[in-house]
Amino acid sequence: MNSARQQPPLIARLPLNALLIYPEFPDTFWNFKHSLKFLGKRAAQPPLGLMTVAALLPAAWNKRLVDTNVERLRDRDLAWADVVLLSGMHIQKDSLIAIVERCQERGLRTVVGGPIASSLPADELKADHVVIGEAESLIADLARDLEQGTAKPVYQAAERPEMDTSPLPDLSLIKMKRYSTMAVQYSRGCPFNCEFCDIIEIYGRRPRTKAVAQVLAELDQLYAAGWRESVFIVDDNFIGNKARAKELLKALAEWRSQYKTSFDFLTEASLNLADDPELMQLMKDAGFVSVFLGIETPDESGLIAANKLQNTRRSLLESVATIQSYGMQVMGGFILGFDTDREDIFERMVEFIQKSGIPIAMVGLLQAMPGTQLFRRLRGEGRIVDDGGGNNTESRLNFLPRMDATRLIEGYHQVLKQIYSSAAYYERVKLYLSRTQRKPAAGERVSRQQWMTRANARAFVTSIVRQGVFGRQRWSYWKFLMAVATRYRHCVGAAMTLAVMGYHLQVMEQKMSKALDAAMLSGAMEKMLAKETSAE
């Protein structure tokens, strides 16, 4: 961190020009980059954190936001700026540091915040100023010090702010049409205590929520800006406070009815959602169509060892099916590499995923993220190799596993190859459709408003060409379309959306397999494992 560089007072140039930059994500399973091209979109969601920070900055400042996931960072943007503010996650580290260095070459002061600043040492980020913690209580002091040339190297929040201090995000700074969904945050924090999770370390275990009126104001703002597509409630656990969530859901149902909008909602939650029929019905009534769950592993001993106790003492398959019965697609997160994993874990993982009817099954290798209980335990055991890169779908480990590392990585790729083969993937889609998409009653009119849009028509044509004409697994694709035409005509939109999403997963699996094969042939994998062994 270049804290020694002299800070010229900027007060003579007020108002300041603040350039907010969001670093690029690497190509992973999570970004759906290859599917978004079907829709003419460039990224899934806008950088909500930076949009909120922009609203917290002095109103007199001039502001620009560049999301490098949807547009290039131009020299003229840097020439315009007086100060650059960046935010990102661990997985964006390489891109973030490259931008910081580019800014500093031009003499620009740089400020880095966001989750990455809470998990990595400030010196590693190379910025002039690092903001650790949530921004609401810090921005006023930081802005004043930047103006006066007295900004400190590190600003750290003394406490976690209540959510009523969070303003409406600044929508004017983004190019909305380049995103597939908009983002709204309702709460921060999670009541559970999973060993591998960094969320509870950054945001705490007491869920803090916005008032219902705050959330509705954000939706009003989106609606007024012309947005009519999906909205992602980006909470890490939307139901961390079930009572407050129910209050919001009732208001959301009324809001949708008032605006007669087809807004669909997506979110993340914990598996204990399946224990609360009232909560699931309220989510259905409010328009929730998809929920991401951290299922992690079908091996209960692994769940217990990771302190993921909310997933134990239950049938995981029955819990998933219960949630699906309320019309919500379940997207699942899964992990390989727990100390408890045995040789049969790969077969068990594939079997569970296929039986679950979870089309979007995100399987990754365990990462020991800095700042987590897992990282501290493994470091105490002498098993940490490095800080990792935040990407759990790479074929690398940042710790020494109990299972042979080569076998673990090979088994991981076997799982991906099996679950993302077209035949297996479409079987899961059909199981999901049969569980969640209600057939209309006799004489009931089926609304096609939600999927018969110009963007979806483009996606459908592109899908036919790329998957049905040039795709490697064309036969499975056409067989699936025949099933949609004969058995799932009432839910063509959901079926085609998942077909397109499957394309991204299959492209990524093929890329990863090629990279692994190349690493094996070149000896790079052996060198990496030798490095890990020497670290031990």
Side-chain angles (χ1 to χ4, degrees), residues 13-63:
R13 296 200 298 275
L14 290 180
L16 296 186
N17 292 339
L19 179 62
L20 299 98
I21 305 176
Y22 198 52
E24 188 174 7
F25 284 95
D27 200 7
T28 73
F29 280 108
W30 298 91
N31 62 12
F32 287 97
K33 170 182 170 182
H34 301 284
S35 295
L36 290 172
K37 292 178 181 177
F38 287 40
L39 293 163
K41 306 291 185 179
R42 299 189 185 181
Q45 296 101 30
L48 181 62
L50 283 179
M51 294 157 61
T52 304
V53 167
L56 289 165
L57 290 172
W61 284 21
N62 304 307
K63 302 155 197 172

Side-chain angles (χ1 to χ4, degrees), residues 8 50 57 63 119 178 216 227 272 278 301 311 316 378 402 428-429 451 475 508 528:
L50 283 179
L57 290 172
K63 302 155 197 172
S119 60
R178 297 187 178 181
L216 296 185
W227 188 256
N272 62 321
E278 179 192 12
S301 65
N311 285 17
L316 295 174
L378 294 179
R402 295 296 186 200
R428 296 201 303 279
V429 173
W451 71 273
W475 171 243
M508 289 305 304
M528 182 192 78

Side-chain angles (χ1 to χ4, degrees), residues 383-401:
R383 295 169 60 191
I384 290 293
V385 176
D386 56 45
D387 286 346
N391 183 359
N392 69 343
T393 60
E394 285 184 319
S395 299
R396 64 180 298 272
L397 302 161
N398 75 321
F399 70 99
L400 300 169

Side-chain angles (χ1 to χ4, degrees), residues 86-105:
L86 302 99
S87 177
M89 295 183 280
H90 197 147
I91 195 172
Q92 296 164 281
K93 177 183 175 182
D94 291 345
S95 175
L96 183 146
I97 290 177
I99 294 170
V100 168
E101 292 174 341
R102 182 178 169 188
C103 291
Q104 292 182 341
E105 286 173 359

Side-chain angles (χ1 to χ4, degrees), residues 105-345:
E105 286 173 359
R106 303 180 65 100
L108 280 170
R109 304 208 66 75
T110 53
V111 182
V112 169
I116 191 170
S118 297
S119 60
L120 291 178
D123 287 344
E124 286 190 28
L125 301 174
K126 300 187 178 181
D128 297 297
H129 316 288
V130 173
V131 176
I132 301 172
E134 298 167 59
E136 282 84 356
S137 62
L138 298 173
I139 290 296
D141 290 343
L142 172 65
R144 180 199 64 226
D145 294 347
L146 285 170
E147 290 176 348
Q148 297 176 357
T150 59
K152 298 176 290 188
V154 176
Y155 290 78
Q156 183 156 9
E159 58 185 7
R160 298 183 177 103
E162 295 302 324
M163 295 293 286
D164 61 4
T165 63
S166 190
L168 284 172
D170 192 340
L171 279 182
S172 69
L173 297 177
I174 64 168
K175 299 174 175 64
M176 292 181 67
K177 292 183 178 179
R178 297 187 178 181
Y179 301 96
S180 63
T181 59
M182 285 294 108
V184 170
Q185 186 177 53
Y186 169 57
S187 69
R188 296 174 190 161
C190 177
F192 299 112
N193 195 29
C194 306
E195 184 189 38
F196 53 81
C197 182
D198 61 343
I199 297 302
I200 55 175
E201 305 290 340
I202 298 173
Y203 299 115
R205 293 183 58 197
R206 179 179 71 86
R208 292 162 287 136
T209 65
K210 290 179 179 175
V212 169
Q214 284 178 272
V215 178
L216 296 185
E218 291 189 41
L219 295 177
D220 286 341
Q221 181 179 237
L222 286 171
Y223 192 87
W227 188 256
R228 298 294 184 271
E229 300 179 59
S230 297
V231 174
F232 182 26
I233 308 293
V234 299
D235 304 11
D236 296 291
N237 189 353
F238 176 71
I239 64 167
N241 184 325
K242 286 188 176 182
R244 295 295 301 274
K246 289 177 181 179
E247 179 185 355
L248 174 64
L249 290 168
K250 292 172 184 176
L252 288 179
E254 292 179 8
W255 184 89
R256 290 177 89 239
S257 175
Q258 173 189 347
Y259 280 94
K260 296 182 172 58
T261 177
S262 58
F263 266 32
D264 287 333
F265 293 106
L266 308 82
T267 195
E268 303 179 36
S270 44
L271 195 64
N272 62 321
L273 170 62
D275 303 334
D276 195 326
E278 179 192 12
L279 181 54
M280 289 183 285
Q281 185 62 49
L282 286 171
M283 290 181 73
K284 180 179 180 179
D285 294 343
F288 280 75
V289 297
S290 181
V291 59
F292 180 90
L293 306 174
I295 297 172
E296 319 312 355
T297 177
D299 178 28
E300 185 159 294
S301 65
L303 295 170
I304 293 171
N307 208 35
K308 187 114 187 174
L309 303 182
Q310 65 271 27
N311 285 17
T312 63
R313 299 183 298 277
R314 66 170 70 240
S315 166
L316 295 174
L317 287 174
E318 289 180 7
S319 295
V320 169
T322 298
I323 296 170
Q324 290 169 330
S325 72
Y326 283 82
M328 288 183 283
Q329 179 196 164
V330 171
M331 302 173 70
F334 298 89
I335 296 174
L336 289 166
F338 290 117
D339 286 353
T340 52
D341 284 352
R342 299 294 178 262
E343 183 63 31
D344 66 346
I345 189 61

Side-chain angles (χ1 to χ4, degrees), residues 75-76 132 156 242 286 288 341 358 370 422 424 497-498 501 523:
D75 287 340
R76 64 174 178 264
I132 301 172
Q156 183 156 9
K242 286 188 176 182
F288 280 75
D341 284 352
I358 298 176
S422 285
T497 296
L498 285 166
M501 295 176 79

